[in-house]
Amino acid sequence: MLDWVWLIPFLPGASALICAIWGKRLKTATGWISIASMLATIVLAVGASLPFIAEPGREAWRISLFPWIHAGGLQIDFAFLVDPLTCVMLGVVSVVGSLVFIYSTGYMHGDPGYHRFFSFLSLFAAMMYVLVLADNFVVLFIGWEGVGLCSYLLIGYYMNETWCADAGKKAFVVNRIG
């Protein structure tokens, strides 16, 4: 029923890729592409929540995207889990994330690396969705590490400024400890 939930991290991930590859040509359109991907995730998050609103007490929904690590008795799929808590977190991440993206279009306006910033921000959102939707600790770890990498990239965005680069490294180390 909720087999389309993989679109939630996929849309910001695709936006990150578009901004990274064609960002210089698209210029400020990269901000609008990123915002559109985040607004679409709000719609998808609401769609994922509706079955749990309509049927309180409904069991969690597991979506296995593909078999991943199968060695002996160990079987780990790249899978997402949707339950009421996940739906709440999807709502928070998508709404707050969308507001951050909208604010960032004005804040970053005129910056020469505008497309690079939105590529990093979209990748951050995609990794946050992977973290929220993770069905197992391995997928959760991927989301956590992705969020840590994106924190480093966003905090150290102005890498030619020493203090920004140092703050980015500090964020990366703190994420490792966490």
Side-chain angles (χ1 to χ4, degrees), residues 42-126:
I42 291 175
V43 173
L44 294 172
V46 168
S49 302
L50 288 177
F52 296 100
I53 294 169
E55 189 183 333
R58 175 187 165 85
E59 287 190 32
W61 189 265
R62 184 177 186 273
I63 301 101
S64 178
L65 299 176
F66 54 88
W68 192 22
I69 301 171
H70 289 199
L74 178 69
Q75 298 203 356
I76 300 173
D77 293 346
F78 195 94
F80 292 148
L81 180 77
V82 181
D83 61 5
L85 179 60
T86 301
C87 292
V88 169
M89 291 309 298
L90 286 174
V92 169
V93 170
S94 59
V95 171
V96 172
S98 295
L99 294 173
V100 168
F101 276 60
I102 291 167
Y103 175 80
S104 295
T105 56
Y107 185 78
M108 295 302 292
H109 182 74
D111 191 275
Y114 187 84
H115 65 283
R116 183 172 51 98
F117 177 81
F118 276 98
S119 179
F120 295 162
L121 197 58
S122 293
L123 186 61
F124 181 85

Side-chain angles (χ1 to χ4, degrees), residues 1 16 21 30 87 96 98 115 149 158 175 177-178:
M1 180 177 172
I21 294 172
T30 56
C87 292
V96 172
S98 295
H115 65 283
L149 171 66
Y158 294 110
N175 184 273
I177 294 169

Side-chain angles (χ1 to χ4, degrees), residues 106-163:
Y107 185 78
M108 295 302 292
H109 182 74
D111 191 275
Y114 187 84
H115 65 283
R116 183 172 51 98
F117 177 81
F118 276 98
S119 179
F120 295 162
L121 197 58
S122 293
L123 186 61
F124 181 85
M127 290 296 111
M128 185 63 76
Y129 286 129
V130 169
L131 179 66
V132 167
L133 287 165
D135 176 54
N136 54 59
F137 285 120
V138 177
V139 177
L140 181 108
F141 182 73
I142 290 169
W144 182 263
E145 291 303 314
V147 166
L149 171 66
C150 293
S151 296
Y152 166 75
L153 294 171
L154 287 166
I155 293 170
Y157 175 73
Y158 294 110
M159 60 199 121
N160 52 352
E161 299 285 336
T162 306
W163 65 272

